[in-house]
């Protein structure tokens, strides 16, 4: 199961659990009464609370559950990740790339650059990527000498 699917299950289970707790506390409704008033079976509600479902709950059942408890179905849809009114999550913008790195990437994908040259570029990048980081003082000494 993906991390996103698991997070949705947890969010919806939390929503259902709170709705049941409120129904018990404010209306003194049992699980059977919640099932009767919402038209959703106790088994289904229990699966929702446990997050024990392979495919998303049916929208009609979610709406019936919410309406039977006097809740806005939009809150349940949000917990399930179905909220179409929410702005779509955009991928984070990558940090700006150094022009020299861009030039190397262009050369690596250029069909006119030989395989030997591409190999040399990759080996140099690999060396630079994994070499130990230079101490800060070494860089300062180089600037002072010049």
């Amino acid at each position: 199961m993906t991390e996103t699917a698991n997070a949705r299950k947890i969010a919806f289970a939390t929503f259902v659990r709170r709705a049941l707790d409120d129904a018990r506390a404010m209306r003194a409704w049992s699980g059977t009464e919640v099932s009767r008033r919402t038209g959703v079976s106790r088994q289904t509600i229990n699966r929702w609370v446990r997050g024990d479902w392979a495919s998303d709950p049916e929208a009609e059942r979610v709406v019936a559950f919410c309406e039977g408890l006097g809740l806005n179905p939009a809150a349940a849809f949000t917990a399930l990740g179905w909220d179409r009114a929410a702005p779509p999550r955009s991928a984070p913008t990558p940090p700006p790339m150094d022009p020299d790195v861009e030039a190397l990437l262009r050369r690596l994908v250029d069909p006119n650059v030989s395989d030997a040259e591409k190999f040399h570029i990759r080996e140099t990048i690999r060396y630079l990527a994994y070499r130990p980081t230079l101490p800060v003082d070494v860089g300062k000494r180089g600037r002072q000498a010049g």
Side-chain angles (χ1 to χ4, degrees):
M1 174 181 357
T2 66
E3 189 174 319
T4 303
N6 196 36
R8 290 174 54 241
K9 284 184 176 189
I10 291 169
F12 186 62
T14 302
F15 170 82
V16 173
R17 197 173 299 113
R18 284 184 186 147
L20 292 173
D21 290 345
D22 289 347
R24 285 185 187 111
M26 294 194 287
R27 300 176 180 166
W29 287 358
S30 65
T32 303
E33 186 64 15
V34 169
S35 177
R36 189 181 73 73
R37 298 222 182 205
T38 63
V40 179
S41 72
R42 287 190 64 182
Q43 294 84 359
T44 297
I45 294 170
N46 288 333
R47 278 198 330 271
W48 290 352
V49 168
R50 291 189 315 266
D52 182 21
W53 34 277
S55 59
D56 281 359
E58 294 175 16
E60 296 80 21
R61 286 187 180 174
V62 173
V63 169
F65 177 79
C66 291
E67 288 178 348
L69 295 174
L71 302 172
N72 184 347
F77 290 175
T78 299
L80 285 163
W82 297 349
D83 186 8
R84 290 190 169 91
R89 295 180 187 154
S90 60
T93 55
M97 190 175 296
D98 184 279
D100 295 330
V101 174
E102 282 183 2
L104 287 172
L105 290 173
R106 280 194 301 275
R107 290 183 73 184
L108 286 171
V109 298
D110 186 346
N112 297 321
V113 175
S114 71
D115 287 341
E117 179 68 13
K118 290 178 183 181
F119 176 81
H120 180 69
I121 292 169
R122 285 189 185 98
E123 287 298 308
T124 304
I125 290 171
R126 203 170 285 121
Y127 164 75
L128 292 171
Y130 298 108
R131 75 177 180 156
T133 305
L134 294 173
V136 177
D137 295 327
V138 172
K140 290 181 181 176
R141 278 190 238 137
R143 282 190 226 127
Q144 290 173 354

